[in-house]
Amino acid sequence: MSYVKALKCRECGQEYEKAAKYVCEFCFGPLEAAYDYDKIKKDMTREKITSRPLNIWRYRELLPVEGDKYNTLQEGYTPLIRADHLGALLGLKNLYIKNDCANPTHSFKDRVVAVASTRALELGFDTLACASTGNLANAVAAYGARAGLKRYVFIPSDLEKGKIIGALVYDPNLIAVNGNYDDVNRLCSEIAGKYKWAFVNINMRPYYAEGSKTLAFETAEQLGWQAPDQVVVPVASGSLLTKIWKGTQEMIKVGLISQKKMRVFGAQAAGCSPVTTAYKAKVDTFRPVKPNTIAKSLAIGNPADGYYALKTIAESNGGAEMATDLEIIEGIKLLAQTEGIFAETAGGVTIACLKKLAESHALDPDAVTVAYITGTGLKTQEAVADHLREVKVIQPNLEAFEASQLTAVS
Ligand SMILES: *Cc1c(COP(=O)(O)O)cnc(C)c1O
Ligand SMILES: [Zn+2]
């Protein structure tokens, strides 16, 4: 049974059948899943949620699928870690890290692909596809294999080795495109118009995007059924940021948590910061950019949901920051060395921006703060490889060990 009434245009409100559609035929606005919240309010209780397995499907009433056959690798319910060491350094008294490295393909993209691939199966597709900045290719390749679907993943040709191998191992048709993500996305939109494939982030986008809400649901549940006061979210297309907001508002609407004024902060790389730049310039539309950053997973110069990300930031009285490549590397090391979590470059962006937002007093030092770490550092090792201590080799005896300690740096 589905609680989704229709797909609905975000701009003009026109409703559509629940097919693989993503743009309004009247105004070209994006389509979004519209739910029957009255019915959800009756059916979705904390007791029911907590009786279910620890994965994203425990919130299935607020997910856009019809049946109860999920294409799942047990994604979600990742750790929410209290980060007292990092918090003390940044002057934040109630800091938490939501560690989404702990997903099956080690990024938050497993949430969105689990939902999109489940819906693709319901709609009878035989091919799962995507335009990816890296992590999405891994998730589509893995979940496509899990579902027994054919899979096509399109990536910019200059991705990190860990991301390419992390896709290839599932044996998808991997197409490396000589261009950046925006070029890849343009090509895929053309292919999606011609081939009857389920492109998770193009024609399946209304379903895909809803999967990101589960990060908000889990965060509130893990905080003892309350929303955080302020969140810091990495921004690529802007979908994740808007959906963390939407998910939180939905929990309030259906009575799972009480009203709370949560502030949403966006984090981007300085080498690809259309949203942050627009926010800082106090304008409500962004200008597309040509990305040049080590944070390749966030390198979308023309973000599909950038406009709505800016709207969410404004509506929530939040903000936005950006981090240079060097700050991103420092951010990765800071999180690893204070809390024991090895994040990818996107996580470096989040931590570097968290630091800047704390230092500029944009964040309330006493408030419950959650920073979203969306992917693992094991896939982007080249980013930090040359910025770590040198490995010293010693002979296998005590003398050599003690001699090595005399010259050790710290
Ligand atoms: C895709 C991605 C994001 C951002 O996703 P959007 O919804 O496109 O803004 C953040 N972090 C990582 C690691 C990603 O792969
Ligand atoms: Zn419309």
Side-chain angles (χ1 to χ4, degrees):
M1 181 177 61
S2 176
Y3 293 83
V4 179
K5 292 188 291 189
L7 295 185
K8 194 172 172 181
C9 174
R10 282 196 77 158
E11 291 304 318
C12 75
Q14 176 70 36
E15 293 193 354
Y16 294 87
E17 58 174 339
K18 296 178 264 180
K21 267 181 180 297
Y22 67 111
V23 262
C24 177
E25 285 158 20
F26 296 92
C27 75
F28 301 105
L31 305 186
E32 192 174 41
Y35 294 83
D36 183 345
Y37 291 116
D38 291 334
K39 200 154 150 218
I40 294 173
K41 191 168 185 170
K42 283 194 203 101
D43 290 358
M44 196 182 190
T45 61
R46 290 181 187 175
E47 292 68 36
K48 201 181 253 177
I49 294 167
T50 50
S51 74
R52 293 172 177 163
L54 296 170
N55 60 47
I56 63 166
W57 302 101
R58 65 207 265 108
Y59 312 105
R60 64 94 57 224
E61 286 87 348
L62 286 167
L63 292 174
V65 298
E66 299 288 316
D68 54 8
K69 271 209 184 121
Y70 313 129
N71 184 41
T72 181
L73 287 163
Q74 304 301 326
E75 53 288 334
Y77 219 81
T78 54
L80 182 76
I81 306 274
R82 236 194 112 85
D84 286 339
H85 292 137
L86 181 59
L89 263 173
L90 303 182
L92 298 170
K93 295 192 190 83
N94 286 294
L95 177 63
Y96 294 82
I97 301 292
K98 179 69 170 159
N99 182 10
D100 243 22
C101 307
N103 272 312
T105 75
H106 317 292
S107 89
F108 100 92
K109 293 295 197 301
D110 292 331
R111 300 172 182 277
V112 284
V113 173
V115 174
S117 62
T118 295
R119 187 70 189 129
L121 287 170
E122 288 181 346
L123 290 172
F125 282 99
D126 68 0
T127 304
L128 199 65
C130 69
S132 173
T133 58
N135 286 313
L136 189 57
N138 294 196
V140 164
Y143 282 76
R146 176 83 173 152
L149 294 167
K150 281 179 261 176
R151 37 213 189 275
Y152 276 84
V153 301
F154 296 78
I155 56 168
S157 59
D158 70 344
L159 281 194
E160 302 94 341
K161 207 171 159 192
K163 297 242 166 101
I164 293 174
I165 292 169
L168 277 180
V169 72
Y170 307 105
D171 201 29
N173 296 286
L174 184 138
I175 319 290
V177 178
N178 187 8
N180 62 32
Y181 172 82
D182 300 285
D183 299 319
V184 175
N185 192 48
R186 215 172 309 116
L187 168 65
C188 286
S189 299
E190 246 179 272
I191 295 171
K194 179 159 180 191
Y195 293 78
K196 295 209 166 350
W197 296 347
F199 271 90
V200 298
N201 57 336
I202 302 177
N203 54 340
M204 296 298 288
R205 193 168 181 87
Y207 308 101
Y208 159 96
E210 292 289 289
S212 289
K213 296 188 308 189
T214 58
L215 266 168
F217 300 156
E218 288 173 17
T219 301
E221 184 182 343
Q222 289 168 318
L223 287 172
W225 299 103
Q226 55 162 339
D229 298 304
Q230 45 196 16
V231 295
V232 181
V233 185
V235 173
S237 74
S239 175
L240 171 63
L241 181 142
T242 61
K243 294 295 176 169
I244 284 179
W245 173 252
K246 184 188 181 196
T248 304
Q249 301 314 306
E250 283 182 341
M251 285 188 101
I252 295 168
K253 198 177 298 188
V254 302
L256 286 169
I257 59 173
S258 52
Q259 184 70 41
K260 164 95 57 96
K261 285 202 172 68
M262 182 176 88
R263 302 174 70 205
V264 181
F265 293 82
Q268 292 203 296
C272 183
S273 66
V275 171
T276 298
T277 300
Y279 168 78
K280 286 183 182 276
K282 297 187 165 59
V283 292
D284 58 10
T285 50
F286 66 87
R287 230 187 255 156
V289 300
K290 227 183 154 83
N292 180 16
T293 168
I294 58 166
K296 294 177 198 266
S297 57
L298 302 182
I300 300 185
N302 188 10
D305 292 293
Y307 169 73
Y308 295 104
L310 280 164
K311 243 176 122 160
T312 299
I313 289 166
E315 196 180 337
S316 74
N317 189 30
E321 256 308 342
M322 61 173 103
T324 65
D325 284 356
L326 213 57
E327 289 168 338
I328 293 167
I329 292 162
E330 288 308 314
I332 293 172
K333 291 166 65 177
L334 182 63
L335 180 64
Q337 291 162 21
T338 54
E339 301 297 344
I341 296 169
F342 183 16
E344 71 147 85
T345 45
V349 169
T350 300
I351 297 303
C353 290
L354 174 78
K355 182 165 183 271
K356 287 181 159 181
L357 290 164
E359 285 168 356
S360 67
H361 307 290
L363 293 171
D364 175 350
D366 299 313
V368 173
T369 308
V370 175
Y372 286 92
I373 296 303
T374 45
T376 179
L378 291 174
K379 290 191 204 175
T380 63
Q381 295 186 45
E382 47 273 76
V384 289
D386 296 336
H387 300 265
L388 306 175
R389 288 183 195 226
E390 259 178 66
V391 179
K392 289 222 178 79
V393 180
I394 63 164
Q395 292 307 315
N397 60 61
L398 187 60
E399 247 166 51
F401 165 68
E402 287 178 342
S404 76
Q405 291 309 291
L406 294 175
T407 52
V409 241
S410 66

